[in-house]
């Protein structure tokens, strides 16, 4: 799947259930459903989820909380705009799914 194909699925009513939970969370956020996306990753403690969690709190405007989650993910704070960060994360997770 490409980023373009992912973006085409935003016309659908639900994300592909075979996708990783992180990719599904980003799909909901891209659709404007922050709460559902956040709820999917909020209880997860792995680094990938922490990275997505950081993005969600940046979207929310809670930079203190976002910085906490970047540290949990052991990654530097993303300084680009939110759309760029979302696209970066989606591309990263698409690439990981291709490798499976």
């Amino acid at each position: 799947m490409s980023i373009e194909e992912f973006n085409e699925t935003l016309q659908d009513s639900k994300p592909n259930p075979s996708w990783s939970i992180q990719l599904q969370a980003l799909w909901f956020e891209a659709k404007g459903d922050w709460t559902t996306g956040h709820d999917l990753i909020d209880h997860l403690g792995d680094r990938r989820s922490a990275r997505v969690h950081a993005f969600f709190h940046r979207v929310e405007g809670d930079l203190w909380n976002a910085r906490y989650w970047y540290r949990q993910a052991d990654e530097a704070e993303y300084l680009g705009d939110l759309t760029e960060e979302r696209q970066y994360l989606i591309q990263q997770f698409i690439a990981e799914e291709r490798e499976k």
Side-chain angles (χ1 to χ4, degrees):
M1 173 174 58
S2 68
I3 189 79
E4 292 80 15
E5 291 168 325
F6 175 90
N7 289 334
E8 288 174 11
T9 70
L10 295 174
Q11 302 300 318
D12 299 340
S13 61
K14 294 182 180 180
N16 185 323
S18 70
W19 292 347
S20 69
I21 199 73
Q22 295 84 11
L23 197 54
Q24 290 182 48
L26 290 164
W27 184 91
F28 279 106
E29 191 281 327
K31 293 265 295 184
D33 188 350
W34 185 95
T35 301
T36 300
H38 181 264
D39 288 351
L40 286 174
I41 51 97
D42 186 42
H43 64 285
L44 303 175
D46 62 283
R47 288 180 57 194
R48 294 176 53 185
S49 298
R51 179 62 182 84
V52 174
H53 206 157
F55 167 72
F56 271 79
H57 284 290
R58 243 187 106 210
V59 169
E60 182 185 35
D62 185 352
L63 298 181
W64 180 89
N65 203 352
R67 289 179 183 121
Y68 168 83
W69 287 106
Y70 284 113
R71 287 191 304 275
Q72 295 302 109
D74 198 25
E75 289 202 25
E77 181 179 351
Y78 194 92
L79 300 176
D81 79 11
L82 293 169
T83 301
E84 290 172 356
E85 184 174 14
R86 181 191 316 114
Q87 295 299 308
Y88 167 81
L89 289 169
I90 291 168
Q91 288 175 325
Q92 182 180 23
F93 293 125
I94 287 172
E96 288 176 7
E97 294 209 2
R98 273 191 211 125
E99 294 174 5
K100 289 182 180 178

